[in-house]
Amino acid sequence: MPSDPVFIIGRQYSGNTMLTRCLGQIPEVYSAAAGEGTFFEHRNRLQDKPVYERAEAVISHVEEGGVEIPSESHSKLRRHMWAEGTAEERTVGQMYARCMDWVAQQNGATRWAQKATSYIFYVNDIHECFPGARFLFMLRNPFDLAASMKRRGQWRGVPRMAYGWNKGARLAHRWAGQHPKNMSLIRYEDLVRTPRQEMKKICAFCDIPFHEGCLRVPHVNRSESPYNQSSSQEGIQSSRVGYYEQILTDAEVRIVGTLIESELAEQLYADTNVPPNSLSSAARAVLLAIEGGLVASREHLQALLKHPRHVLHRVWRRLSA
């Protein structure tokens, strides 16, 4: 039987890397915090591959997700993935499970954790493959997310962020109601303000022993610096909670307030004042959405020309969720 993995599936810039690193500091858990899992986005396509190609294709996608597997171990790993039956009987999902369990064991762990921000749209697929999996959906104040994007020079992407925040939070909240033993919503603000208390809750939910070492993680990928996974600063910090008040103008705050679902925001962030909508903020939000949509369309077109099946599948998943 495969182990019960932990998937960190919050939206971008919500503390997913930090939480994945925290879990990886626990001796019983292996995690690849620097990568992003995408296996379930490609599962159906991989299943269509000839039997003899599936194992290596799975290994390739696992490595693309940040998992380090020595090339000289590939043949041994392939044999492990094919064990207990012929290759024809192995689905790519079963191969993936055996691959990740093998990686965890090679690193002295019994469980593994994977960061994958797109997996909120694949929860049912993952649950089918791993009935005991735990899903940790990281939530962050959408106004702080917008501030982070502005500092990164990505202000035009705020409408897309708001759409993802609305849909992701709604899906996670609904799924947690249906499967409370598998899905947990974690507010970034709670985790950074009371890290020990929150990590103990997270470990209990995941059935993982708590270790003090999980709180000693580097502070990486800050919005004022280029993307990075190393830092001399260590520990969980709360300095970015509510910093939108210093970064966003009043007009920008109103634009974000127009783009997010107010009822959902009030339910999940009752401690945040969501400004009322106005005609001027709605007009500005529409213009920003159009501008951002044009930029996103160009990006999607380039990806579509390279990987049409994959891009269409991703778009369909997000629209139909």
Side-chain angles (χ1 to χ4, degrees), residues 71-88:
S71 57
E72 61 270 20
S73 299
H74 279 208
S75 58
K76 180 180 180 180
L77 177 54
R78 285 197 301 270
R79 290 194 298 272
H80 174 79
M81 293 162 67
W82 284 334
E84 299 178 5
T86 64
E88 287 80 4

Side-chain angles (χ1 to χ4, degrees), residues 115-243:
K115 178 187 72 171
T117 55
S118 68
Y119 279 5
I120 185 59
F121 303 108
Y122 297 87
V123 171
N124 289 326
D125 303 59
I126 299 170
H127 187 244
E128 177 186 337
C129 188
F130 300 102
R134 306 302 201 279
F135 300 96
L136 304 177
F137 187 84
M138 288 292 293
L139 278 166
R140 189 178 179 187
N141 187 313
F143 296 98
D144 277 342
L145 283 175
S148 179
M149 295 186 73
K150 180 181 178 181
R151 293 192 69 172
R152 296 172 191 271
Q154 300 174 3
W155 176 250
R156 289 182 298 186
V158 165
R160 187 176 176 183
M161 175 279 292
Y163 174 83
W165 191 91
N166 292 334
K167 178 154 282 193
R170 200 183 325 115
L171 288 172
H173 191 264
R174 184 176 68 200
W175 221 86
Q178 297 171 346
H179 302 275
K181 293 183 179 180
N182 297 91
M183 174 76 78
S184 178
L185 278 70
I186 302 160
R187 297 202 328 168
Y188 167 86
E189 294 77 14
D190 297 332
L191 179 57
V192 298
R193 281 170 172 157
T194 56
R196 180 174 284 98
Q197 176 182 330
E198 290 301 311
M199 281 305 302
K200 283 185 175 181
K201 290 180 183 178
I202 291 169
C203 288
F205 175 77
C206 297
D207 195 22
I208 293 171
F210 172 79
H211 287 260
E212 289 289 337
C214 73
L215 304 177
R216 295 189 291 272
V217 293
H219 188 207
V220 301
N221 200 24
R222 291 171 289 182
S223 60
E224 70 272 20
S225 59
Y227 179 82
N228 68 88
Q229 288 295 325
S230 61
S231 173
S232 58
Q233 294 186 358
E234 190 177 83
I236 299 176
Q237 303 177 18
S238 61
S239 60
R240 302 307 167 91
V241 174
Y243 86 135

Side-chain angles (χ1 to χ4, degrees), residues 35-65:
E36 182 87 10
T38 61
F39 168 79
F40 282 94
E41 294 186 26
H42 301 272
R43 185 178 67 159
N44 292 340
R45 180 176 62 82
L46 295 178
Q47 188 64 42
D48 292 339
K49 283 184 172 293
V51 172
Y52 61 88
E53 293 182 8
R54 290 178 191 167
E56 193 59 41
V58 170
I59 293 173
S60 177
H61 275 281
V62 167
E63 290 179 319
E64 288 175 7

